[in-house]
Amino acid sequence: MGANASNYPHSCSPRVGGNSQAQQTFIGTSSYSHQGYGCESKLYSLDHGHEKPQDKKKKTSGLATLKKKFIKRRKSSRSADHAKQMRELLSGWDVRDVNALVEEYEGTSALKELYLQANLARPEARTLQKDMAELYQYKYCTDVDLIFQETCFPVHRAILAARCPFFKTLLSSSPEYGAEIIMDINTAGIDMPMFSALLHYLYTGEFGMDDSRFQNVDILVQLSEEFGTPNSLDVDMRALFDYMCYYDVVLSFSSNSDLVETFGGSQNCLDEELRAHKAIISSRSPFFRHLLQRRIRTGEEITDRTLRTPTRIILDESIIPKKYAKVILNCMYTDVVDLSVLHSSPSVGSLSEVQALVAGKLNMTRAEEAMELYHIALFLEFNMLAQ
């Protein structure tokens, strides 16, 4: 704080004092009292140009206060801009339209809160990634064996081919069911646990183990050069659903419940078939998994493998209408529920459509379709679709 000695009268002139030990200079500034009884001196210490900690604290707090003021002003200016934009938008609106907009905002806010509360109240549904990890662990419906360092790894041809260019080329040379393929990897330092982690990565997008070697950039570069760099799990599973490479099961629909039990019958009773992979439908739905395991126990699966034909699963259309089949399969491969599929595909005159027409349900609302799909998901034990 600056002080000019010439501005003070003699009665309150600056007082200069010295202390030989402290080597300090005191500059006094004074102010008259209202009664004129002299002045009170306020002493400020200057220690050879060094500021006291109190002075530094004051300056720091002053800068912080100034910064807060600027931030506050900036925030207020932004909010003012939003208010201005809203006023310009609504300036030509009718009062009823503005009221409708407010009700829309309030409804959306309430719906968001309801959505959050519902998610907190119900158990977490298993995602595609978790089901794929379980598929790799428990080896449902495997169709090819990889032999690496005298260890057998049962895997799924379609998944590895969709995820990795190296395996796509390798597996195409051995198309038969249950083929045993001896792995010869050029990348140095790959042992059995690391190879298993690589397979786990192809199934889930995560290595599934903490290994410092996966932090080594050189090893990762060598692996990418040999195996190729896969896309994200979502992208590759979407492509697998679109192209259905190496499909091994077809879903058919019939009104005859006897056909559903015996998995046979005339083709004239069947509608259009939908292709799928046993690995995917068994990992996402316990209903399909138990169905396929029962076929293995009864020996029906051996017949399909001998004839090299895909397994046919005939579903009762009175329980699972065919129009929902693509929505269900799409969710199994992608975790996405796309109801637009119900209205984008052309009508095929299936039994479910005839029954819906007779029952007066042909023009169902989106909410009614969602509820019917919800009950089908519960029947299939497919929690991700239900939620």
Side-chain angles (χ1 to χ4, degrees), residues 257-328:
S257 59
D258 294 335
L259 294 182
V260 180
E261 293 296 330
T262 59
F263 298 92
S266 172
Q267 287 291 328
N268 296 330
C269 300
L270 304 177
D271 281 328
E272 179 186 0
E273 297 176 337
L274 294 178
R275 300 172 179 177
H277 298 91
K278 295 177 186 176
I280 303 300
I281 65 175
S282 63
S283 66
R284 304 310 309 271
S285 167
F287 170 83
F288 282 119
R289 179 164 65 249
H290 297 154
L291 193 63
L292 291 170
Q293 289 175 345
R294 187 179 69 179
R295 288 178 58 83
I296 294 175
R297 290 194 299 268
T298 58
E300 296 173 89
E301 196 71 17
I302 298 177
T303 303
D304 295 333
R305 295 172 184 175
T306 303
L307 299 176
R308 295 186 179 182
T309 57
T311 299
R312 175 177 288 109
I313 297 178
I314 304 177
L315 302 173
D316 189 345
E317 198 170 6
S318 62
I319 299 176
I320 305 178
K322 181 182 178 299
K323 72 173 187 176
Y324 296 114
K326 287 187 178 180
V327 179
I328 297 170

Side-chain angles (χ1 to χ4, degrees), residues 94-324:
D94 186 85
V95 177
R96 290 171 295 183
D97 294 333
V98 176
N99 184 61
L101 179 63
V102 173
E103 291 180 351
E104 185 74 19
Y105 278 135
E106 291 175 346
T108 303
S109 177
L111 186 61
K112 180 180 179 181
E113 181 65 22
L114 181 62
Y115 171 78
L116 294 175
Q117 293 298 328
N119 282 338
L120 293 175
R122 63 191 176 193
E124 182 181 359
R126 295 184 61 85
T127 62
L128 172 65
Q129 186 182 54
K130 289 183 178 180
D131 283 337
M132 292 291 284
E134 186 177 276
L135 176 66
Y136 176 68
Q137 179 181 0
Y138 294 107
K139 317 297 184 186
Y140 304 132
C141 304
T142 57
D143 54 6
V144 63
D145 295 332
L146 302 180
I147 309 299
F148 180 72
Q149 293 184 354
E150 300 181 355
T151 302
C152 179
F153 293 87
V155 292
H156 304 85
R157 182 188 306 271
I159 295 175
L160 295 188
R163 295 280 287 145
C164 178
F166 172 85
F167 281 110
K168 183 177 182 180
T169 303
L170 179 66
L171 295 172
S172 63
S173 61
S174 302
E176 63 275 7
Y177 175 87
E180 293 186 353
I181 301 177
I182 298 177
M183 297 297 301
D184 184 15
I185 300 177
N186 297 324
T187 303
I190 305 298
D191 54 12
M192 187 182 67
M194 194 170 187
F195 181 72
S196 178
L198 288 174
L199 293 178
H200 187 276
Y201 176 81
L202 293 178
Y203 275 76
T204 66
E206 295 181 350
F207 285 111
M209 64 176 294
D210 295 328
D211 194 319
S212 59
R213 288 174 294 180
F214 290 122
Q215 306 299 326
N216 190 320
V217 177
D218 295 333
I219 291 181
L220 293 178
V221 170
Q222 294 177 35
L223 290 174
S224 64
E225 290 177 350
E226 183 170 1
F227 290 91
T229 304
N231 300 312
S232 66
L233 180 65
D234 296 338
V235 172
D236 285 337
M237 293 303 293
R238 176 80 238 184
L240 184 62
F241 173 73
D242 290 336
Y243 299 106
M244 286 295 168
C245 298
Y246 295 114
Y247 74 93
D248 53 6
V249 63
V250 293
L251 304 180
S252 300
F253 298 83
S254 172
S255 60
N256 190 338
S257 59
D258 294 335
L259 294 182
V260 180
E261 293 296 330
T262 59
F263 298 92
S266 172
Q267 287 291 328
N268 296 330
C269 300
L270 304 177
D271 281 328
E272 179 186 0
E273 297 176 337
L274 294 178
R275 300 172 179 177
H277 298 91
K278 295 177 186 176
I280 303 300
I281 65 175
S282 63
S283 66
R284 304 310 309 271
S285 167
F287 170 83
F288 282 119
R289 179 164 65 249
H290 297 154
L291 193 63
L292 291 170
Q293 289 175 345
R294 187 179 69 179
R295 288 178 58 83
I296 294 175
R297 290 194 299 268
T298 58
E300 296 173 89
E301 196 71 17
I302 298 177
T303 303
D304 295 333
R305 295 172 184 175
T306 303
L307 299 176
R308 295 186 179 182
T309 57
T311 299
R312 175 177 288 109
I313 297 178
I314 304 177
L315 302 173
D316 189 345
E317 198 170 6
S318 62
I319 299 176
I320 305 178
K322 181 182 178 299
K323 72 173 187 176
Y324 296 114

Side-chain angles (χ1 to χ4, degrees), residues 7-13 29-41:
N7 293 334
Y8 294 93
H10 283 288
S11 60
C12 294
S13 59
T29 62
S30 304
S31 59
Y32 286 104
S33 64
H34 289 289
Q35 291 79 6
Y37 293 118
C39 60
E40 295 178 5
S41 297

